[in-house]
Amino acid sequence: MQLIKGDRGGMLSMSDDSVMMKQVQATHAPDGREVDVAPLLHLVEDILNRATLQVEPPLLKAGQAHAEMEEKNHQISYSIVLDALSYVIDRISCEIAYKALGGADAHGTTMTILETLTSFQWDAKLVMTLAAFALHYGEFWLLAQIYSSNQLAKSMAILKQLPTILEHSGPLKPRFDALNKLIKNILEVTRSVVKFKELPPSYISQDVPALSAAMAHVPAAVYWTVRAIVACANQITLLTTMGHEYGYALTTTESWELSTLEHKLTNIHEHMRKELATCHQHIDEKRSLEEYKMLVDMFEMIHIDNMKVLKSLIYSKDDMQPLVDGSTKRRVSIEVLRRKNVLLLISDLNISNDELAILEQIYNESRLHATRLDSQYEVVWVPLVDPSIQWTDAMQTKFDSLQSTMPWYTVHHPSLIRKAVVKFVREQWHFRNKPILVVLDPQGKVVSPNAIHMMWIWGSNAFPFTSRREEDLWNTESWKLELLVDGIDPMILNWIKEGKYIFLYGGDDVEWVRKFTNSARAVASAARIPLEMVYVGKSSKREAIRRVLATITVEKLSYFWQDLTMIWFFWTRLESMLFSKIQLGKIDDHDPMMQEIKKLLSYDKEGGWAVLSNGSNIISNGHGNTVLTTLIEYDLWKEHIPVKGFDLSFDEHHKKIHGVTYPCCRFEFPNTAGRIPESMRCPECHRTMEKYTTFLCCHDVGNPHESSLF
């Protein structure tokens, strides 16, 4: 007994690791044969996972039939591998048992095993050694599990002193617990070594630093894992040959030996896990790049229908239904979109309730005319989430909430949208977190990279939402009040029909609003014209808008939109007119209508503003200060009204004042806007505007965001 334990103290005594690793490397002379060790490792894992101190009776599981089918499929693989390796595995098993009984030191036994396996690759050396251990260890626990109910097993168990050992299983439990922990670490390191060997060479090679660094550590990982296997085998061999008298409790040397090996393998596994993760990241990036290029090529091809395109974007396999029908909330196949006009509503999880409310209204209106061939299209929500962000319960709750409100088709879950698709949508379709509406025709061709601006401006009348249709619609428009308020408020359309004068005004300065409305009412009364006024707020600062609305309500200053969604939609449509022109590449065309729209958007950033119309004809579009001054100075231009009329008299005086003050023009494009022009011309003086970067926070619109400022 003393002789057997005597050399164990020297198990980890080699201080010069470099010398030891040179010895290990000297045993490695592979002959080029490739062994598929995966089936063998699967078998070994099954043996070691079932071999425990306390075993419950096997339970019939619901998935047992499937498991049995898989087992049959593995049988052929097992047979092929074992036909080639069984002799070597048996030899190693005997070698380990013999060395343990002979008192050989663990390092010597480990080197003998590596020399025996000199012609095999590192992963095969490790799995074959583990298989040799599993033969012995599995037999020990198989007999322990069935000897009480099987006479043959009972007789064999008695030969191995198992009944006596198991009678003292209580005192032996710490020994078995230590073994189980070490075996778990052995399996983890072995899996890691095999995973490195299984990395696809078409996506990662030895010249990649992550893989080359990992492979440099494999010999040491194999050595220490084989050495740990030897230590475990020694414990079982000596226990079955010497019985429970071998020792109830672990000696100090044995405890130190097993815990040191466990710690060593834990560190090796953690290091390899990180290297493996780096390698997988490299592979994922290469695969994503390859898939990205395939997507780019696919959208340049001609297809007979849209199935190939949609499957490549949403889900390419046929093993599940990737969509949810918004009307029934049931899962459906992507086939429901075959040969249809498809509008891909692409957004993150922060799509606003305002956007959804208006989109739903337009969508539902289009369904009322579903029999018309020119309005048959389907909307599909494609939720895009940054693949590098960990999915959380809060995100799932938000996604479920959004999905439940949508009447159109939705992708079942954001995880179906692959990393390459996210890259494609961001780079090719310029998605920057603000929702876009990509239109695919029945053949899967992109006919509009973003029709959401068309949708906001013209609703379903923009069908089939092509860029050509967008240009045609612009050609029919003119600088009329209907362009600004169409589809928002029928009350204003009635005023237009009645030929009334209408002031559309906005801003967040309560005092200016009070002065402006009182002055406008006084001028209308003096000039004896029928005047209506509508407050339409600002494009931002909702809390400030609410304060202005409260004042207007209390003091009855003018008509206003109580629903803030209508105010949001007014400004969204106006901004969409600008983005539509940007998308068409006509932002700086000498188009008087576009110049007026740009002025109005600019005035919104610089305080109050007002647009005056006579029915649908817009008389003047001005900054708050110039319009208010024009009203206050009514006595200076009223004498021209009998000759020139109110409209021309007002406009001429306003232009006179405007020419003196010339307020600055400014446009803000959030970085999330997608297509931002490189340059713009001022709608007032037509010079090229200066470009800045600004950081803006309005306190009531969420987190601060960066924007480009012209």
Side-chain angles (χ1 to χ4, degrees), residues 137 173-188 228 232 258-259 261-263 265-266:
Y137 190 69
K173 191 175 185 302
R175 186 183 297 274
F176 286 121
D177 286 344
L179 280 175
N180 287 337
K181 288 180 181 179
L182 186 53
I183 289 169
K184 179 184 176 183
N185 286 346
I186 288 169
L187 280 171
E188 287 176 339
C232 293
L258 295 179
S259 64
L261 282 169
E262 182 192 344
H263 180 70
L265 293 191
T266 298

Side-chain angles (χ1 to χ4, degrees), residues 2 82 125 142 219 236 262 271 298 356 363 400 407 413 457 469 482 489 545 549 685:
Q2 190 63 37
L82 292 174
K125 297 179 200 284
L142 176 63
I236 296 299
E262 182 192 344
H271 187 69
M298 181 176 296
L356 286 177
Y363 176 81
D400 291 340
H413 195 271
I457 302 168
R469 175 63 174 162
E482 288 93 337
D489 189 352
I545 293 172
L549 290 175
C685 66

Side-chain angles (χ1 to χ4, degrees), residues 5-15 106 174-175 178 182 224 227 231 235 249-265:
K5 291 187 177 182
D7 284 337
R8 196 151 282 116
M11 184 172 194
L12 302 173
S13 62
M14 293 192 69
S15 59
R175 186 183 297 274
L182 186 53
W224 285 109
R227 190 154 167 174
Q235 292 287 320
L250 289 166
T251 65
T252 302
T253 301
E254 288 174 320
S255 178
W256 175 81
E257 173 187 314
L258 295 179
S259 64
T260 301
L261 282 169
E262 182 192 344
H263 180 70
K264 185 87 173 177
L265 293 191

